[in-house]
Amino acid sequence: MSHVTDAHQQVSLARSPPLKHEEGQCVGLLLTSYDRTLVVKEITSEEVEEMHSILSEYHQHIVTCHGSTLLPQFLGMYRVNVESEDTYLLVMRNMFSHRLHVHRKYDLKGSLVSREASFKEKVKELPTYKDVDFRNNMQKVYVSDEEKEKVMDKLNRDIEFLVHMRIMDYSLLLGIHDVERAEREEDEEMMESSYEEEEEDEISLGPAPYSTSPEGIAGYMNSFKPMGPGEFDPYVDVYAIQSTVGAPQREVYFMGLIDVLTQYDTKKKAAHAAKAVKHGAGAEISTVHPEQYGKRFREFITKIFA
């Protein structure tokens, strides 16, 4: 993370308890730092091994493309030992913004087989929709031709890297910030807070705790010029793209690749064989060879744009 010190990162992780995500597909813990700049994910010992096996080439890929990538930004990996039991945690940059709330999100793999959010998922405050939902909702991403070309250039380079590393089963995480809805929500919050301020007007508040400490990554980011509705700093929100002029509604999209630690091993081969028997050899199943997976994934993502 350019211009962000170890102290900022440490404060973001440790200053206040992290926020726990709602239970979803993720096995184990999934946390967001209190300032929403970092994501902490519990991973398996197998994923730790896979991380070690790709780390050198992952670093070379990031350097070669000058950081212009949709891949996760890995910042640290930790082993926590409690009562002789190891837990492995992976710290990554949050693909979503620390200040622009996401109103809709999708996990897209390029397959329509078993790729619809469950009823339990859909009733959540912020459900994670999938490929079938994306199609059924007639969702589209409205960006300029120039921005689409930039995204596809990044995606093509990243897919080449993932295929080379025999990695598959990754997803495109798509978050959508609705600018007009955010403005309405902000107006409502301001009205509520003004009532609260009137009630507390005569109460003298003491200094904020940790007032001499660094403000964490979000504090560092917020020290620059204030942002208007739907605005973001592209050097900070590196996964963000503004909707194009003339789009049906003003939106900001966050797009990045997630779950990039599944290599095509015997376990995946077994899953592929089982699904082929169940759905037929030609079915659009998610567990296919890395080359097939990359090709199908690229073709599907090309079609998400309006």
Side-chain angles (χ1 to χ4, degrees):
M1 297 180 74
S2 58
H3 311 301
V4 176
T5 65
D6 288 343
H8 285 122
Q9 188 173 319
Q10 189 176 343
V11 172
S12 287
L13 280 175
R15 176 168 167 176
S16 290
L19 312 164
K20 189 172 181 180
H21 286 230
E22 286 186 275
E23 285 184 13
Q25 272 195 306
C26 179
V27 177
L29 279 175
L30 186 62
L31 307 168
T32 304
S33 62
Y34 84 99
D35 61 0
R36 301 182 185 278
T37 60
L38 303 175
V39 171
V40 182
K41 182 182 181 184
E42 183 181 349
I43 58 175
T44 64
S45 56
E46 289 85 5
E47 287 174 314
V48 172
E49 286 178 30
E50 285 165 9
M51 174 62 89
H52 282 299
S53 73
I54 72 164
L55 203 51
S56 176
E57 294 200 51
Y58 164 83
H59 177 260
Q60 187 56 47
H61 175 73
I62 299 299
V63 171
T64 304
C65 67
H66 306 289
S68 180
T69 178
L70 298 179
L71 291 174
Q73 291 192 11
F74 299 123
L75 303 174
M77 189 163 63
Y78 302 90
R79 183 182 67 181
V80 181
N81 186 281
V82 179
E83 295 180 353
S84 302
E85 190 169 322
D86 287 337
T87 299
Y88 300 97
L89 300 174
L90 185 61
V91 179
M92 301 168 281
R93 186 170 187 161
N94 191 356
M95 290 182 173
F96 294 161
S97 175
H98 71 286
R99 58 174 293 272
L100 299 179
H101 290 291
V102 165
H103 298 108
R104 260 168 297 147
K105 63 174 174 168
Y106 292 88
D107 177 310
L108 302 173
K109 287 187 184 292
S111 171
L112 298 176
V113 174
S114 304
R115 293 292 299 161
E116 183 175 4
S118 64
F119 174 77
K120 183 182 174 184
E121 181 67 29
K122 288 178 179 177
V123 296
K124 290 180 181 177
E125 187 178 350
L126 182 61
T128 301
Y129 292 113
K130 297 181 183 177
D131 305 63
V132 171
D133 307 300
F134 189 90
R135 185 191 62 180
N136 291 347
N137 295 346
M138 293 187 288
Q139 183 73 61
K140 285 291 180 183
V141 172
Y142 296 89
V143 296
S144 66
D145 290 341
E146 183 186 355
E147 288 294 349
K148 178 185 174 181
E149 190 177 337
K150 285 181 189 174
V151 171
M152 293 310 298
D153 282 347
K154 290 180 190 177
L155 186 70
N156 288 332
R157 282 195 301 268
D158 292 340
I159 288 175
E160 279 180 27
F161 165 74
L162 295 170
V163 168
H164 170 69
M165 298 305 297
R166 307 294 292 161
I167 290 170
M168 54 182 294
D169 217 27
Y170 43 87
S171 303
L172 181 81
L173 179 65
L174 168 65
I176 303 173
H177 170 79
D178 183 330
V179 178
E180 289 180 9
R181 177 176 164 184
E183 285 185 282
R184 289 195 303 272
E185 289 169 349
E186 191 177 342
D187 288 343
E188 288 167 11
E189 283 173 18
M190 284 177 68
M191 286 177 67
E192 286 174 18
S193 64
S194 66
Y195 292 139
E196 288 170 12
E197 280 172 17
E198 284 173 18
E199 290 172 8
E200 296 173 1
D201 216 17
E202 294 180 10
I203 300 172
S204 176
L205 297 174
Y210 307 100
S211 56
T212 58
S213 299
E215 287 298 318
I217 298 168
Y220 166 82
M221 292 169 176
N222 289 333
S223 64
F224 298 103
K225 64 175 186 176
M227 298 282 178
E231 291 183 349
F232 58 87
D233 183 340
Y235 293 101
V236 172
D237 288 324
V238 295
Y239 296 96
I241 307 170
Q242 191 79 250
S243 61
T244 189
V245 175
Q249 52 194 34
R250 195 175 161 206
E251 295 174 323
V252 178
Y253 307 105
F254 301 92
M255 287 189 269
L257 296 172
I258 59 169
D259 300 332
V260 298
L261 292 177
T262 302
Q263 289 186 301
Y264 188 68
D265 55 13
T266 50
K267 189 166 62 177
K268 266 293 170 190
K269 288 175 185 174
H272 176 261
K275 283 196 176 181
V277 169
K278 183 179 178 181
H279 299 289
E284 270 195 354
I285 54 181
S286 62
T287 46
V288 293
H289 298 282
E291 293 84 0
Q292 290 173 288
Y293 190 92
K295 181 175 183 290
R296 188 188 66 199
F297 185 81
R298 182 190 288 112
E299 288 171 357
F300 183 88
I301 300 306
T302 304
K303 294 172 186 171
I304 73 172
F305 298 97

